[in-house]
Structures are given as C-alpha cells and as structure tokens.
Amino acid sequence: MSPPGPVLRVQGLAKRFGQTGVFEGVDLELPRGRFIALLGESGVGKSTLLNCLAGLDEPTAGRVELLGQDLAGLDEAARARLRRAHLGFVFQAFHVLPHLSVADNVALPLLLLGRDDPARVQEVLAEVGLLAVAQRLPEQLSGGQLQRVAIARALVHRPALLLADEPSGNLDPDTAERVLQALAAQVRRHGAACVMVTHSQAAAAHADAVYQLTPQGLRSVR
Ligand SMILES: Nc1ncnc2c1ncn2[C@@H]1O[C@H](COP(=O)(O)OP(=O)(O)OP(=O)(O)O)[C@@H](O)[C@H]1O
Ligand SMILES: [Mg+2]
C-alpha cells in the first residue's frame, strides 16, 4: 500500500503572506501511529500550517514530504491525487457540500477513489453518531452535526495522514469524546498519523505529544 518511512516529514517550513511572516523553522516528523496536538493562539498560523502540510497552500521556504513524496516536486494534479488517496482533512470551516446529503458527503472520498462502499459509510456515520441524519442536507444540521460530517468524511477512506483543525470545537464533552475516539482509532488501530489543532485539554489528552506553534517554529509542550 504505502511505502515504509514516515508518513509526514517537514523541514524548515516557513510561510509569509507578502511582507508579513507567519511562521518559520517548523520541523516535524510523524511515523505511522503518531498522534500530535498543536496549540497556539488565534492568528499564529495553525490553519495555514495545516494547509501547507496538505499541499493546499505553498510554503515560502522549506519542504513537506507526504509518504516520501516532496509536495513541491509534484504538479497540482499529482498533489490532488496524493491528497485523495492518503489525506483526511477536517477543515476548521467544515467545507461540507451543501447540495449533497450527509451520507453522500461522507461517501465522496470513496467515490473519488472509485470505491463504492455503503457499509463503510454507515460504519463511520455510526462512529460519529450521525446515522439518524444520514439522508438530511447540511442546511438541516446543527453546527456540531456539520462538524461530525467533516470528521466522518476525513476518516471514511482510512487515510495515512489526518489533519484536523479544532475537530471538537463545536461539540459537547460527550460528543467530543466520541469523535476524538474515532480519530484516535484511525491512528491506534490503522496506523495513521494525525495532527490535531485544538484548544481543549481533553482533546489534547488523546495525543502522544503536544506542541505549540510559535512564529519561530514548534515548541514541545509535553
Ligand atoms: N490568504 C491570506 N492572506 C494574508 N494573510 C493571511 C491569509 N490567510 C491567513 N492570513 C494571516 O495569517 C495568520 C495566520 O492565520 P491562521 O488562519 O493560520 O491562524 P490560526 O492559528 O489558524 O488562527 P485561529 O486559531 O483563529 O484559527 C493570521 O494573521 C491571518 O490573518
Ligand atoms: Mg485556524
């Protein structure tokens, strides 16, 4: 399936928007089965960093390798293929497709890989507690339900790398715990690597290590 070696390797990553520096000196290596939490104050660049890790934004300097492939060495189509096969991204703003039902939103990553697996879609919907609303449209959901659609969609194809931007930010403690366990299961049982942005101590407790993003790079917190 995927090659040996780390899932993600980041070296000397820096990002500026025009004259404004966001971060520099970000180094990180994640083997399979590694779950890290990323803290940092609002505006420090956590979402920007995740976008760079996903090849959705271009870093100003440094290097990102996903499964041994240097993202900068791939064209946009090849980057998109790599993301489709190996990445699950829970966006801070969800990015759920408004005209598709919950089940169809969650099935989309499988569809794009040419896999039709309704049983897997049901399984992951059950994991995040959305079976009862599977046929609804996103506009008929609460914020926390939408967030869980985004999480189910990131998990459904069992990606090697999970990037989750405050995945439990809109959830009550019990529901948060449930989705964090679903993320952690993909790491612990299926060997994914996960970077989770969070402000929640309870969420960070699921991670093996906690880092804080600063303008000068990642600082180890625990
Ligand atoms: N496209 C852009 N052009 C210019 N500046 C941007 C752009 N996107 C983000 N920024 C700036 O980069 C900085 C980092 O933004 P980012 O969204 O990554 O922060 P964050 O750490 O995720 O914050 P939050 O915790 O509020 O989600 C902010 O100062 C933001 O204003
Ligand atoms: Mg953010």
Side-chain angles (χ1 to χ4, degrees):
M1 297 279 278
S2 42
V7 175
L8 184 71
R9 181 185 279 140
V10 180
Q11 289 170 317
L13 205 70
K15 179 67 183 178
R16 317 174 57 85
F17 289 109
Q19 294 302 307
T20 313
V22 182
F23 55 76
E24 60 183 18
V26 173
D27 297 304
L28 183 65
E29 187 164 314
L30 296 182
R32 277 149 231 281
R34 181 100 171 144
F35 188 169
I36 69 159
L38 188 60
L39 316 176
E41 62 196 46
S42 179
V44 79
K46 303 176 299 297
S47 298
T48 303
L49 175 59
L50 292 193
N51 284 334
C52 290
L53 301 185
L56 292 168
D57 197 348
E58 212 172 313
T60 314
R63 185 180 169 94
V64 178
E65 280 176 31
L66 176 53
L67 297 169
Q69 301 221 55
D70 176 6
L71 294 184
L74 304 174
D75 64 22
E76 193 42 60
R79 268 202 296 272
R81 279 196 300 276
L82 194 66
R83 273 198 296 272
R84 242 180 243 165
H86 302 296
L87 177 68
F89 200 139
V90 184
F91 291 96
Q92 192 168 17
F94 313 146
H95 295 322
V96 165
L97 297 182
H99 55 286
L100 293 183
S101 71
V102 167
D104 287 346
N105 264 286
V106 173
L108 197 58
L110 294 175
L111 198 76
L112 292 171
L113 292 168
R115 282 156 54 187
D116 182 27
D117 191 348
R120 173 63 186 150
V121 173
Q122 294 289 302
E123 180 181 55
V124 74
L125 283 173
E127 249 183 305
V128 301
L130 287 181
L131 268 185
V133 298
Q135 296 314 318
R136 286 201 202 164
L137 286 173
E139 65 185 20
Q140 302 166 313
L141 299 183
S142 72
Q145 287 170 329
L146 278 177
Q147 183 155 44
R148 285 181 280 155
V149 176
I151 293 165
R153 184 182 55 188
L155 289 170
V156 70
H157 54 312
R158 296 206 184 286
L161 178 64
L162 275 166
L163 301 175
D165 205 341
E166 298 193 44
S168 58
N170 296 275
L171 304 176
D172 65 85
D174 286 348
T175 309
E177 184 58 27
R178 180 173 187 169
V179 304
L180 289 164
Q181 284 184 6
L183 287 176
Q186 178 62 17
V187 175
R188 311 285 176 223
R189 289 198 218 120
H190 302 285
C194 179
V195 181
M196 174 178 66
V197 171
T198 186
H199 298 292
S200 150
Q201 293 285 343
H206 284 266
D208 304 310
V210 181
Y211 295 90
Q212 182 173 3
L213 179 60
T214 77
Q216 294 78 38
L218 295 178
R219 192 170 67 78
S220 174
V221 175
R222 109 167 137 71

